[in-house]
Amino acid sequence: MAKVPVQFTLNGSEKAEFVDSGTTLLNALRDKIGDTSPKGGCHQGTCGACSVIINGELRLSCLTLAETCNGAAITTTSGIAEGGVLHPLQRAFLDTFATQCGFCTPGMIIAAKVLLDHTPNPSRDEVIEALSGNICRCTGYEPIIQAVLLAARANSQNAA
Amino acid sequence: MELRKSYFADVRKDDLHEIGQPRPRSDSPGHVTGKTAYFADRNFPGMLHLKMVRSPHHHARIRSIDTSEAEKHPGVVKILTAKDVPHNVYTILILIQVGPEDETVLADGKVRWKGEAVVAVLAETERAAQEAAAKVKVDYEVLPAVFDMEEALKPGAPLVNEYHGQNYYLYDSGECRKVRFGDVEAVFAEADHLLEQSYQSSPIEHAPTETTGCVVMPEGNDRFTCYTNTQAMFFTLDNTSIILQMPGSKLHFVGGTVGGGFGGKVDVIVEPIAILGAKLTGRPVSFVYSREEEMQISSPRAAEKVVIKDGVMKDGRIIARKVTGYTDAGAYSRHSPYGAQKGAGHYPGPYTIPYVWIDTYCVYTNRTPSSAMRGFGVTIGDFALEVQMDKLARLIGMDPLEFRFINAYRDGDMKAHRQPTEGAALIECMQEASRAANWPVAKKYMAMSSYVKGA
């Protein structure tokens, strides 16, 4: 099978790999590069566990071909803590008990980060809308919604 | 979190330092940073991928299996059939003396449900394994199948599972689990009202976000490390040891991190065959359910049917209850005989009923084998019982919550299975529920207590 070169930045570091044509970004990140924070729950674009940020936009890495990511800036949950300090969303997920099995958590945090990057002070309905592509089978969603609202409040206090 | 310490203040020790205190979860920091290692986060060089050839029929005899075309497919390393499995017929609960062994790791001579594993294909890539699996030719003679529990119990119904000899599980108490507490029929004759209703449920899939699977690494000394998301580590270790006829000391299981289970990952399905593949090829093996397999192949909560007949007095006392429960095990036992047995213990409900008669059947059909899921065997029963309670209250024109206060068991009451009630606290829960839901009940019920001094 033809190998194709792909180069992008992942959480700020440059990556260059040869992948089989047709490899998903999810598999390239997990199996080639070793960033296992995006999870493969359904591999068909319905569970949201593999969510990543590509050039500022929320994307499902299981439906994105690695070879289409040349030159892109990609962010995953493993790369959003800075200097050993948790991102406000990570802190909020901890503080509100918004994780149980943890499998959906990285995707949830990424979806929430894209929301807060575009809408720093979202309403509850906006949070629900932003997380609607991410399935969680343990929490019943309420603690997750609370975590995102808590992180948003922390954001607005920092800005003030 | 609020603890109501006013209840049972005189009987409860209050020197607890951990219970009632919020504590951070030890695994959350790993979860929020994406560092928690699930089984599929291990990727070993040279890892093979296992895909299953599954039965397209609900019930069929296997005339022949031809793997010759599949073996020639590029990337295929090994193909396994029933004859490769050292102890191919097993049952999960054999470890706690629940037999007979009734399920095959890979189908041998017959398939009993649509989706049953027949042939395992190990290949260099997932895609090669999938393509080769499609080339395996299995010649089936389709047999009549049965999908309905009542049909399965009728004389002349197709026999689902020869290891049982009949379409129900044979308990030591006979064809069903039984509870007998007094002469129910005689007491029914004295009741002011009788109400007989039947309730039934469909199978329910757990749909964990992480699908079932494992990754096996041969350690090179005939010892194997199996990274798995099982919820039942020791059942899995011990059953694998039996199936592969290998001492447990050769099997190193690593688990404890489960991406959603809800009971759906307590069966021993993926590990034995993946370890066998690693043993026969000397290479790491990954066997992971696709989402489609997870939804169609993994064992759901059993479908159940519950028939409840109650005798009730005008003053609200239930004086007799007769329950017949049916649990649809599907084609194999897994945890269902245990689920049906739990139902037998549970159907009196949290109520003190002086005359009780219960039969629960575990029935075999040509459906996906059912197994554990969150309170399996009792949750559907609870739904049925509580709907029945509402209907009984309506029948005698009584408030449904007050009706429950009258029948709620309290400390010292004898339960139908002859265990005296201890630490009930049901009255207190209902009092709190009454306040929280703003559903007022008469003062005399708010003055009641579950705790009976000296009981």
Side-chain angles (χ1 to χ4, degrees):
Chain A
M1 200 178 289
K3 299 268 186 193
V4 287
V6 56
Q7 267 183 290
F8 49 77
T9 62
L10 176 65
N11 300 319
S13 339
E14 290 206 12
K15 303 288 172 191
E17 290 290 340
F18 284 96
V19 297
D20 291 330
S21 182
T23 300
T24 62
L25 178 62
L26 175 66
N27 286 346
L29 288 175
R30 290 174 56 83
D31 301 342
K32 285 276 197 179
I33 293 169
D35 182 351
T36 56
S37 67
K39 304 297 176 192
C42 69
H43 298 272
Q44 57 190 27
T46 52
C47 79
C50 69
S51 298
V52 298
I53 305 173
I54 303 178
N55 296 331
E57 299 293 327
L58 181 63
R59 289 282 181 263
L60 295 167
S61 62
C62 77
L63 295 186
T64 305
L65 294 184
E67 60 207 85
T68 66
C69 296
N70 256 322
I74 300 173
T75 305
T76 66
T77 299
S78 69
I80 62 169
E82 277 180 27
V85 179
L86 293 180
H87 185 277
L89 274 164
Q90 293 173 314
R91 187 77 249 165
F93 269 68
L94 273 184
D95 291 343
T96 57
F97 286 82
T99 73
Q100 279 191 31
C101 85
F103 199 80
C104 74
T105 307
M108 286 283 180
I109 288 177
I110 284 295
K113 183 173 187 307
V114 173
L115 170 72
L116 297 191
D117 287 350
H118 292 115
T119 313
N121 236 328
S123 67
R124 183 185 159 87
D125 282 350
E126 284 171 319
V127 172
I128 291 169
E129 174 67 26
L131 298 179
S132 63
N134 293 66
I135 292 173
C136 170
R137 289 285 287 157
C138 312
T139 64
Y141 299 103
E142 190 56 35
I144 296 174
I145 296 165
Q146 292 305 321
V148 180
L149 290 169
L150 180 70
R153 280 201 298 278
N155 258 351
S156 60
Q157 279 161 6
N158 289 345
Chain B
M1 187 172 65
E2 184 199 5
L3 276 184
R4 282 294 172 86
K5 296 198 171 182
S6 52
Y7 285 120
F8 308 113
D10 54 333
V11 291
R12 195 194 54 238
K13 280 189 176 177
D14 205 9
D15 56 355
L16 304 174
H17 300 292
E18 297 294 327
I19 293 172
Q21 302 298 321
R23 295 274 179 248
R25 291 180 58 117
S26 60
D27 54 359
S28 305
H31 294 347
V32 301
T33 52
K35 286 191 167 60
T36 301
Y38 299 86
F39 84 90
D41 295 343
R42 277 103 177 177
N43 186 24
F44 299 106
M47 190 159 76
L48 300 175
H49 296 265
L50 192 156
K51 287 283 168 195
M52 238 4 133
V53 177
R54 298 185 178 281
S55 163
H57 304 294
H58 299 287
H59 197 189
R61 203 174 311 287
I62 298 173
R63 288 204 196 97
S64 65
I65 298 174
D66 178 5
T67 60
S68 56
E69 283 303 306
E71 272 158 30
K72 287 182 216 152
H73 190 83
V76 169
V77 173
K78 187 86 190 166
I79 293 184
L80 305 175
T81 59
K83 65 180 186 329
D84 296 303
V85 185
H87 185 83
N88 193 40
V89 183
Y90 76 110
T91 198
I92 294 157
L93 294 182
I94 201 76
L95 300 165
I96 53 168
Q97 288 78 49
V98 177
E101 293 178 312
D102 70 346
E103 179 164 8
T104 48
V105 176
L106 292 174
D108 190 7
K110 195 176 152 175
V111 287
R112 298 176 179 85
W113 60 284
K114 186 176 173 177
E116 182 159 357
V118 184
V119 175
V121 177
L122 292 137
E124 301 283 353
T125 64
E126 212 174 327
R127 185 169 168 178
Q130 231 152 14
E131 288 168 348
K135 288 185 176 174
V136 172
K137 291 190 193 81
V138 185
D139 182 21
Y140 295 101
E141 176 197 343
V142 177
L143 301 171
V146 61
F147 307 111
D148 179 89
M149 289 190 279
E150 273 157 296
E151 294 296 320
L153 290 174
K154 280 182 186 162
L159 181 61
V160 175
N161 192 317
E162 291 75 7
Y163 297 103
H164 292 281
Q166 67 284 318
N167 286 339
Y168 54 83
Y169 185 81
L170 195 62
Y171 290 96
D172 51 13
S173 54
E175 72 282 7
C176 58
R177 258 301 172 232
K178 300 173 185 179
V179 175
R180 299 288 185 267
F181 195 49
D183 185 351
V184 173
E185 295 300 337
V187 178
F188 276 148
E190 294 166 19
D192 289 336
H193 298 279
L194 293 174
L195 180 68
E196 184 175 44
Q197 299 278 289
S198 68
Y199 303 87
Q200 62 189 89
S201 67
S202 302
I204 300 171
E205 166 57 34
H206 321 69
T209 318
E210 175 203 47
T211 59
T212 302
C214 67
V215 170
V216 181
M217 180 69 179
E219 290 180 8
N221 52 359
D222 204 28
R223 197 167 183 261
F224 298 85
T225 302
C226 179
Y227 300 93
T228 166
N229 60 4
T230 181
Q231 288 180 268
M233 188 61 97
F234 291 97
F235 271 143
T236 307
L237 173 65
D238 294 349
N239 274 290
T240 304
S241 173
I242 294 170
I243 290 166
L244 300 183
Q245 299 286 291
M246 286 169 74
S249 58
K250 298 281 184 195
L251 302 166
H252 178 199
F253 277 70
V254 180
T257 308
V258 181
F262 323 111
K265 291 172 181 165
V266 301
D267 297 334
V268 184
I269 309 292
V270 291
E271 296 86 355
I273 197 73
I275 294 173
L276 182 63
K279 189 180 159 94
L280 296 179
T281 60
R283 291 174 61 174
V285 170
S286 162
F287 181 17
V288 189
Y289 278 5
S290 66
R291 173 56 51 186
E292 193 179 354
E293 282 179 302
E294 188 68 46
M295 301 302 280
Q296 295 194 344
I297 309 306
S298 71
S299 29
R301 180 193 290 289
E304 286 183 48
K305 183 175 178 193
V306 188
V307 183
I308 310 174
K309 182 178 180 182
D310 283 325
V312 66
M313 304 305 281
K314 285 180 201 149
D315 63 7
R317 285 174 298 130
I318 305 172
I319 56 168
R321 169 168 287 177
K322 183 174 181 176
V323 184
T324 311
Y326 302 90
T327 296
D328 189 342
Y332 296 112
S333 292
R334 298 197 185 169
H335 286 73
S336 288
Y338 170 56
Q341 169 164 319
K342 280 204 283 175
H346 198 73
Y347 290 139
Y351 306 111
T352 295
I353 303 173
Y355 296 87
V356 175
W357 184 105
I358 293 167
D359 278 355
T360 60
Y361 294 83
C362 173
V363 186
Y364 298 99
T365 63
N366 294 106
R367 296 172 76 178
T368 308
S370 62
S371 197
M373 185 195 204
R374 299 223 147 173
F376 63 112
V378 302
T379 35
I380 301 298
D382 273 332
F383 158 76
L385 289 179
E386 296 309 318
V387 174
Q388 178 83 358
M389 291 298 280
D390 287 346
K391 287 181 180 175
L392 288 169
R394 205 174 303 141
L395 184 66
I396 56 171
M398 186 173 271
D399 175 88
L401 189 52
E402 294 187 343
F403 176 65
R404 285 171 172 82
F405 273 101
I406 291 170
N407 292 288
Y409 60 7
R410 297 196 274 169
D411 287 7
D413 287 352
M414 183 57 74
K415 291 188 268 192
H417 19 80
R418 294 176 176 80
Q419 289 286 318
T421 307
E422 287 175 61
L426 176 58
I427 297 284
E428 288 71 15
C429 285
M430 291 196 296
Q431 288 164 345
E432 278 308 306
S434 152
R435 288 187 195 106
N438 202 13
W439 185 290
V441 293
K443 268 187 185 157
K444 61 177 174 177
Y445 300 117
M446 295 309 270
M448 285 169 79
S449 171
S450 296
Y451 178 62
V452 181
K453 266 204 170 124

